[in-house]
Amino acid sequence: MRIEPDRVRARYDDFNNFRRGLLALKHAHIHSYHAFGPTNLVDVDELMPVRFSPVRGFAIFAGFIGLVMFWVMCITTSDIYSLVVGGKPPISNVPFVIPAYEGTILSAAVIGFAVALVIAAIGFHQPPADYDPHFSEDSYGVEVLCRLGERTHIMDLLRNTGAVEVHEV
Amino acid sequence: MVKKLANKKFEDIDNQILRSFSFPSFFYIMLIALCNLLVLGGLIGFGVQWALGMGTNGLNIPVGWAMHIANYVFWIAVAMSGTFISAMLFLFRTDWRSVINRVAETMTIFGIAVAGLFPIIHLGRNWVFFWVLPYPNWRHLWPNFKSPLVWDVLAIITYFTISVLIFYLGLLPDIAAIRDKVPKGWRKSAYKLLSLGWTGRYEQWREYTRAYLVLAVLGMPIAMSVHSVVAFDFSMSLLPGWHSTFYAPYFVAGAINSGLATIVSLLIPLRKTLHLEKIFLPRYFQQMAMLMVLMGWILGYYYGEESFMDWYSGNIFIRQFSVYRGMGSGYYSSIFWITIVCVVFVPMTFLFKKLRTNLRYLFVAAIFVNLGMWLERYMLVITPLTHGYLPTQWGIYVPHAPESLITGMAIGMFLGLFLIFIKIFPSVAVNDVKKLAQEHLEVQHEDRTGQG
């Protein structure tokens, strides 16, 4: 039988204390924790275990694909429907810069957004049952996955950094 | 100012912004009724145009493009500037962006929705509007990708998509905050669905930040391109008054100006009616007023440059057109000068601190700037068509009732959609304002402890 690790959750009503809590976890070499907050948590980036996000890479790749696709679409279209406009040859690349430019940006934006949703695991699902609504309102939170025998130590550590509430989940 | 925001608790911010969700006031209901009336009038106008044809609009040779196209350009400009201003302020890390970004982005969405109607209304045979889309069909019709009109469709679709993504992404944490605040019922279920399960986890904020950055970086060039492409609709033709190389930046500058004026004229009543005085600080309006001064100067330069280039070109037709447009004998010269006064001289009054700090004055002046911007589009679209190369191409256009009613419908639709929006979603980015308050608190803390 697989034993779920214990989870400890701390709630902070002050951002500085919340940051201190994360710093304490980092210094204690604890790497399995999550942070929650009602404001953007970009300021605690360096205190989090995983900071990498592939969104920009996917967006650049999708932009390149969009560029090629839209350019090819223009050329193919002009090849099939060879309409001569203003004396220009049917396949004249200069005017195709604009559809290709739009296609690049459109593809990059849509794929970038979709990848962000998938990676952040935001979908059409509900928040988990143990979700604390304070984290969208007025409090910051830290949730730590504890190994055997670590729980009391972690709870003390979080309390000492100014958590207003520490409890098991 | 720092003190004001820093002393606000997150809960106070929530309560203050979400106060707009309360039962609508009598004034709000009256405004909605007025908007409905305008939309109804526009529908009647559209019905007349549908039944009797485009001739009822005063459209005839030589003027084939008139008020519908002027309206289209005006609303696209309003739409363009919303996401552009929001993205620009985001990339420059401007703190007051968090206060105006929601209104700016909302303005974009509704601006495009309104603008998108005009080409369809203008088509004449509106019921076959889908012929412009690239889809396999037995008539062998296919978009010509060398045409500025097709570029326009592509640019607007792209811009609309990006604007919706930026708008929705920014709204996600706020929808989650409302979801957690409203009592159980259909509203909670709706917000639950729209919040996509947002819990405020670091991983969500991380992806949110990266995606927002990507969208803001992409939003700036696409906003520039969308109005540049609208400018190409005119400047790619050979008509005196339209055929010009500087139309694209000229249109973009005009769009930013009308966008700023629209934001100011939406925010000032919003601040008053929703009692958001502690969030919409006078300093922000002053900064927007100074931006309008800058845009007024840029546009003044373009008006001057346009006339100078008309003279410098040495082309007799273009010189003659310039005289016709701006000098006393021209049928439309009064519009030219009213535009100059509203767009260039009215913003110059903001250089006086007493005037730019007076919000009532700022509101009225912003309306005049927008009036000027609308007249500019009217002048740009119509005047060259009334005065082509040959006297046989000359004519006069006077607006008729159907198109005037449809113009009113656009205003009613835009305002009505905005009024409905502020009753359903927060009109200010709650999470950004909280972040601003938190940063101000940190500044205070550092000042007190002598750090930083």
Side-chain angles (χ1 to χ4, degrees), chain A residues 34-37 39-40 43 45 50-51 53 55 77 89-90 101-102 105 122-123 125-126 131 136-137 140, chain B residues 14 142 146 162 179-181 192 196-197 200-202 205-207 209-210 221-222 225 434-435 438 442:
Chain A
H34 296 293
F36 298 85
T39 63
N40 199 328
D43 293 344
D45 253 357
V50 183
R51 289 154 55 188
S53 163
V55 168
T77 296
Y101 175 85
E102 307 293 343
I105 291 181
I122 310 172
H125 59 73
Q126 309 289 331
Y131 165 68
S136 71
E137 196 179 77
Y140 295 90
Chain B
D14 273 347
W142 197 257
K146 278 174 268 183
I162 291 192
R179 173 198 66 198
D180 297 339
K181 268 202 170 287
K192 217 179 233 181
L196 303 183
R201 259 166 75 123
Y202 166 76
W205 281 115
R206 184 188 62 203
E207 300 310 325
T209 312
R210 305 297 191 273
I222 198 67
S225 87
K434 284 178 183 171
K435 176 99 179 138
Q438 169 216 309
E442 280 175 50

Side-chain angles (χ1 to χ4, degrees), chain B residues 247-353:
Chain B
Y247 249 41
Y250 176 27
F251 268 49
V252 170
I256 297 172
N257 199 29
S258 57
L260 283 167
T262 312
I263 293 176
V264 167
S265 47
L266 286 173
L267 279 183
I268 292 175
L270 198 71
R271 177 182 192 265
K272 181 82 183 155
T273 48
L274 300 182
H275 307 288
L276 295 173
E277 287 87 352
K278 287 179 186 164
I279 289 171
F280 294 156
L281 302 178
R283 182 175 73 96
Y284 305 151
F285 291 99
Q286 284 185 49
Q287 277 160 338
M288 281 188 273
M290 291 312 283
L291 266 178
M292 278 159 75
V293 173
L294 176 69
M295 299 325 293
W297 276 335
I298 293 174
L299 285 167
Y301 165 76
Y302 279 128
Y303 295 138
E305 198 214 356
E306 192 179 20
S307 299
F308 172 75
M309 289 310 292
D310 289 350
W311 169 78
Y312 191 65
S313 69
N315 183 318
I316 188 170
F317 298 103
I318 295 175
R319 275 187 182 180
Q320 196 273 337
F321 171 76
S322 193
V323 172
Y324 166 77
R325 183 183 52 202
M327 301 303 168
S329 60
Y331 190 80
Y332 299 100
S333 59
S334 54
I335 293 178
F336 178 78
W337 290 108
I338 295 171
T339 302
I340 301 278
V341 169
C342 290
V343 175
V344 183
F345 292 106
V346 170
M348 291 311 130
T349 59
F350 300 154
L351 288 171
F352 298 101
K353 195 175 180 185

Side-chain angles (χ1 to χ4, degrees), chain B residues 360-419:
Chain B
R360 277 186 193 160
Y361 176 78
L362 206 58
F363 176 71
V364 175
I367 302 245
F368 271 98
V369 170
N370 253 340
L371 175 73
M373 291 312 303
W374 188 85
L375 287 172
E376 186 209 78
R377 274 56 184 261
Y378 183 85
M379 178 185 75
L380 286 176
V381 173
I382 292 156
T383 324
L385 288 170
T386 62
H387 213 77
Y389 280 102
L390 299 170
T392 48
Q393 295 171 333
W394 293 357
I396 293 293
Y397 162 80
V398 180
H400 286 38
E403 62 219 287
S404 306
L405 286 169
I406 293 171
T407 302
M409 177 180 84
I411 299 169
M413 214 175 130
F414 178 79
L415 268 182
L417 287 170
F418 185 78
L419 287 170

